[in-house]
Amino acid sequence: MDRPIALTLGDPAGIGPEIVVKAFMQESALTQGCFVVGDASVVRDAARILARNGIAPATVVIDRPSEAMVVPPRSVPVLQATVFSGPLEKGRISALAGRFAGLCIQAASKLALQGEVQAVVTAPLHKEALAAAGAPFDAFAGHTELLQAEAARWLGLPLDQVPVRMMLANGQLRVVLVSIHVPLREAIAGLTFDRLLETITITHRALNRMLDRRPRIAVAGLNPHAGEGGLFGSEEIEIIGPAVQAARSEGIDVQGPFAPDTVFMRARDGQGKVGEFDVVVAMHHDQGLIPVKYLGIEEGVNVTLGLPFVRTSPDHGTAFDIAGTGRASAASFIAALRMAREMAA
Amino acid sequence: MDRPIALTLGDPAGIGPEIVVKAFMQESALTQGCFVVGDASVVRDAARILARNGIAPATVVIDRPSEAMVVPPRSVPVLQATVFSGPLEKGRISALAGRFAGLCIQAASKLALQGEVQAVVTAPLHKEALAAAGAPFDAFAGHTELLQAEAARWLGLPLDQVPVRMMLANGQLRVVLVSIHVPLREAIAGLTFDRLLETITITHRALNRMLDRRPRIAVAGLNPHAGEGGLFGSEEIEIIGPAVQAARSEGIDVQGPFAPDTVFMRARDGQGKVGEFDVVVAMHHDQGLIPVKYLGIEEGVNVTLGLPFVRTSPDHGTAFDIAGTGRASAASFIAALRMAREMAA
């Protein structure tokens, strides 16, 4: 590993700081070279919550990302992005916490865009706290949109020239979503040839880099039985099929549209069986997330494809109900960190 | 068991006859009291394909369903519904085969409606063969619609007074679908208060009988995050929530709408965990079938709810590509038979 990895704490009123510190405590090899972009006091609070026999992990303030490579194992290096000035009430929505989270993401993405870190792994945000934080953060639904805006600004491009897509992955299945947080009616209306071809292209590029070979991409249909030859819907004939063909003519190893109810089962690795595809492009949010989450969400990882840097995050929220108790599992965050290493390698 | 169970062969050019005979060979206790509604020559052909060391299971022609209770184990009782007169070419779509399949279903459903059998278990049809068979069979997309029409005719009611729904189940999960073979756009447009309330009511009645207690029913949302309070769609607020409340006020144990991407995972039994719900009502075909099929389709069972009798079938097709080879697995058919017994008990 040549460059360090930046970790953000997410909303400090949630479980973010705890799962980040837990990752350092549980995975000394994996976290070697990682550092927090945040505030040492927030990290120290989390470390105290997780102290064993009165001994909390040490927090080490660093001035440059490169210093993260040489701190002692299990200590947590922190690059001060901003100071969290105010009472931190766990489990409460607060503008201050939302603003802190947003500023840290901006700082981490800047380091990534400058090439000082090889990846960014983010702990969960709270959407309402981000909205309460005011401008510029209230303009973004979440990490994906904020990171896209930061990248576009850095590259000097309009937003639509930096198209991003969400990939969800666990040990058995990867899915990339054509659309995410829109009503299902709008997801159908927004399913166009261009948008789908762009999704396939982004998926191909990212997975090609990640797997070091041409990925085998499956595209799901939109309708039951992928439309059954037009009987149950026309999107497969008018939009999805042509986009798959256009991508194939560019040399991409993509097939479909396949019947949605079996393509995920076919793509899945498991029980000694290697899946038929490396990734499935799903036509809307739940088509892709139902199968990814079906076996449990402990190991789910969210990856933003299309950014000029690697960004992963756990596939869960701030869990305000258990924030501050030390009970939150770091499994998904650790899986996200592992995937970031794999993708950045 | 007080009454026999009728089995149909499905399309005789498919794997149906083979999996029915295999079920008798593999499951002597489970098939005790079962009989085929069909043609002895078709059953004998299948038995020859499955013969071991030259010994094929015996085919016993019976005149009344009750005789099925007393035939020797592993022999296959057949009630002649019609004669299959013509060449039987395996793996070929034929009007003759489609017509034979349709006539046998009519005969079996009549026995069920008369109360002479306690359940009907059907092997797979071929939709195009059924269409090629001409009137009346070409009016039906498949078993569900044909059985509904037979029941309505018997009861002297219009079709819409005998509403039926498809339930898919395996060892871990049950889902009931609000709609099935329509474009996704139409599934959304057709999602009404009445249709959903009817689905919940049908589900409650059938599961109540099956489990011998009030079933715990979950209703999935339609949109991402079940609409996130109206931000990602309004169907949850305008249709789904009110239908759930109306069903609750009738004493049904139903909750929702839940986020579609996690409700199936929550309902699922598995790894020593008992699911939070006995069944999930899914808003459209693939929302429900993606999770049911995700772990494999070997054990999937299709159940028609709302008929005045129990009807189950395997969750796979005619598999024309391997028909006649004896290789088809009877696992799903056997699971369907097991579920029919459970529901009829």
Side-chain angles (χ1 to χ4, degrees), chain A residues 183-185 223 232 235 261, chain B residues 183-185 223 232 235 293:
Chain A
L184 186 54
R185 284 175 193 271
N223 296 297
F232 307 152
E235 287 86 355
D261 62 351
Chain B
L184 186 54
R185 285 176 192 270
N223 296 297
F232 307 151
E235 286 86 355
K293 297 192 175 182

Side-chain angles (χ1 to χ4, degrees), chain A residues 127 170 172-173 180-185 188-189 221-226 228 231-235 259-262 264-265 268-269 271 284-297, chain B residues 127 170 172-173 180-185 188-189 221-226 228 231-235 259-262 264-265 268-269 271 284-297:
Chain A
K127 206 179 303 180
N170 57 35
Q172 304 193 321
L173 182 70
I180 46 174
H181 294 140
V182 294
L184 186 54
R185 284 175 193 271
I188 298 173
L222 175 71
N223 296 297
H225 307 187
E228 188 102 29
L231 210 58
F232 307 152
S234 59
E235 287 86 355
D261 62 351
T262 47
F264 300 96
M265 175 260 284
R268 170 181 165 255
D269 290 334
Q271 290 151 351
H284 56 88
H285 184 273
D286 292 324
Q287 191 189 63
L289 295 200
I290 288 172
V292 165
K293 297 192 174 182
Y294 186 57
L295 295 182
I297 51 174
Chain B
K127 205 180 304 180
N170 56 34
Q172 306 192 320
L173 182 70
I180 47 175
H181 294 140
V182 294
L184 186 54
R185 285 176 192 270
I188 297 173
L222 174 72
N223 296 297
H225 307 187
E228 188 103 29
L231 210 58
F232 307 151
S234 58
E235 286 86 355
D261 61 350
T262 48
F264 300 97
M265 176 259 284
R268 170 181 164 254
D269 291 334
Q271 289 149 354
H284 56 88
H285 184 273
D286 293 324
Q287 189 189 63
L289 295 200
I290 288 172
V292 165
K293 297 192 175 182
Y294 186 57
L295 295 181
I297 51 174

Side-chain angles (χ1 to χ4, degrees), chain B residues 96-308:
Chain B
L96 216 58
R99 185 161 190 82
F100 173 82
L103 288 169
C104 295
I105 293 158
Q106 285 185 320
S109 63
K110 191 174 174 200
L111 293 173
L113 290 161
Q114 290 170 332
E116 294 194 53
V117 300
Q118 62 171 198
V120 177
V121 183
T122 60
L125 283 179
H126 197 286
K127 205 180 304 180
E128 289 178 55
L130 196 68
F137 302 114
D138 54 357
F140 305 108
H143 275 113
T144 306
E145 296 82 356
L146 179 49
L147 292 166
Q148 179 189 28
E150 289 297 306
R153 196 156 57 109
W154 175 266
L155 297 167
L157 293 171
L159 266 192
D160 62 4
Q161 306 256 326
V162 188
V164 298
R165 292 294 185 278
M166 187 189 281
M167 178 167 86
L168 271 288
N170 56 34
Q172 306 192 320
L173 182 70
R174 299 183 192 96
V175 301
V176 175
L177 308 176
V178 171
S179 64
I180 47 175
H181 294 140
V182 294
L184 186 54
R185 285 176 192 270
E186 282 179 32
I188 297 173
L191 177 63
T192 62
F193 175 91
D194 288 344
R195 188 165 176 87
L196 179 52
L197 180 56
E198 189 173 82
T199 308
I200 296 169
T201 307
I202 290 172
T203 303
H204 172 76
R205 283 197 201 129
L207 272 285
N208 195 50
R209 216 162 32 227
M210 181 175 170
L211 304 176
D212 224 8
R213 61 170 168 77
R214 282 207 318 167
R216 302 161 303 158
I217 303 173
V219 174
L222 174 72
N223 296 297
H225 307 187
E228 188 103 29
L231 210 58
F232 307 151
S234 58
E235 286 86 355
E236 284 80 5
I237 293 169
E238 292 167 6
I239 297 167
I240 307 174
V244 169
Q245 284 312 310
R248 289 181 67 83
S249 74
E250 291 174 15
I252 295 177
D253 181 0
V254 57
Q255 295 177 65
F258 293 106
D261 61 350
T262 48
V263 68
F264 300 97
M265 176 259 284
R266 292 173 59 185
R268 170 181 164 254
D269 291 334
Q271 289 149 354
K273 166 185 95 70
V274 175
E276 291 177 50
F277 310 105
D278 295 307
V279 59
V280 182
V281 174
M283 296 303 102
H284 56 88
H285 184 273
D286 293 324
Q287 189 189 63
L289 295 200
I290 288 172
V292 165
K293 297 192 175 182
Y294 186 57
L295 295 181
I297 51 174
E298 286 289 292
E299 301 275 315
V301 176
N302 179 340
V303 185
T304 309
L305 306 185
L307 292 172

Side-chain angles (χ1 to χ4, degrees), chain A residues 16-329:
Chain A
E18 291 160 68
I19 60 176
V20 171
V21 173
K22 247 188 196 178
F24 279 94
M25 294 168 74
Q26 294 177 354
E27 297 281 346
S28 58
L30 186 68
T31 53
Q32 209 273 313
C34 295
F35 67 101
V36 173
V37 180
D39 179 5
S41 75
V42 175
V43 174
R44 265 193 295 267
D45 280 351
R48 262 193 296 271
I49 291 167
L50 298 166
R52 287 183 197 139
N53 308 320
I55 301 167
T59 301
V60 180
V61 174
I62 61 174
D63 294 319
R64 279 180 304 276
S66 58
E67 294 170 28
M69 308 301 282
V70 295
V71 299
R74 287 195 176 75
S75 63
V76 185
V78 181
L79 189 76
Q80 284 288 140
T82 180
V83 173
F84 185 77
S85 59
L88 174 53
E89 215 178 332
K90 287 283 180 186
R92 282 285 168 108
I93 293 167
S94 102
L96 215 60
R99 186 160 191 82
F100 173 82
L103 289 169
C104 294
I105 293 159
Q106 285 185 320
S109 64
K110 192 173 173 199
L111 293 172
L113 290 162
Q114 290 170 334
E116 295 195 52
V117 300
Q118 63 171 195
V120 176
V121 183
T122 62
L125 282 180
H126 197 285
K127 206 179 303 180
E128 290 178 54
L130 196 69
F137 303 113
D138 54 357
F140 305 107
H143 275 114
T144 307
E145 296 83 356
L146 180 49
L147 292 165
Q148 178 188 29
E150 289 296 306
R153 196 156 58 107
W154 176 265
L155 297 167
L157 292 171
L159 267 191
D160 63 3
Q161 305 256 326
V162 189
V164 298
R165 291 296 185 276
M166 187 189 282
M167 178 168 88
L168 271 288
N170 57 35
Q172 304 193 321
L173 182 70
R174 297 182 193 98
V175 301
V176 175
L177 309 175
V178 171
S179 63
I180 46 174
H181 294 140
V182 294
L184 186 54
R185 284 175 193 271
E186 282 179 32
I188 298 173
L191 177 63
T192 62
F193 175 91
D194 288 345
R195 187 162 178 90
L196 178 53
L197 181 55
E198 190 173 81
T199 308
I200 296 169
T201 307
I202 290 172
T203 302
H204 171 78
R205 284 197 200 128
L207 272 285
N208 196 50
R209 216 161 37 227
M210 180 174 172
L211 304 176
D212 225 8
R213 60 171 169 78
R214 281 207 322 166
R216 303 162 302 158
I217 303 174
V219 174
L222 175 71
N223 296 297
H225 307 187
E228 188 102 29
L231 210 58
F232 307 152
S234 59
E235 287 86 355
E236 285 79 7
I237 293 169
E238 291 167 7
I239 297 167
I240 306 175
V244 169
Q245 284 312 311
R248 289 183 67 84
S249 74
E250 290 173 18
I252 295 177
D253 180 1
V254 57
Q255 295 178 65
F258 293 107
D261 62 351
T262 47
V263 68
F264 300 96
M265 175 260 284
R266 292 173 58 186
R268 170 181 165 255
D269 290 334
Q271 290 151 351
K273 164 186 96 72
V274 175
E276 291 179 50
F277 309 105
D278 295 306
V279 60
V280 182
V281 174
M283 296 303 103
H284 56 88
H285 184 273
D286 292 324
Q287 191 189 63
L289 295 200
I290 288 172
V292 165
K293 297 192 174 182
Y294 186 57
L295 295 182
I297 51 174
E298 287 288 292
E299 302 275 315
V301 176
N302 178 339
V303 185
T304 311
L305 307 184
L307 293 172
F309 57 89
V310 170
R311 179 260 167 167
T312 69
S313 76
D315 181 28
H316 59 64
T318 49
F320 272 5
D321 54 324
I322 56 166
T325 66
R327 287 197 287 122
S329 162

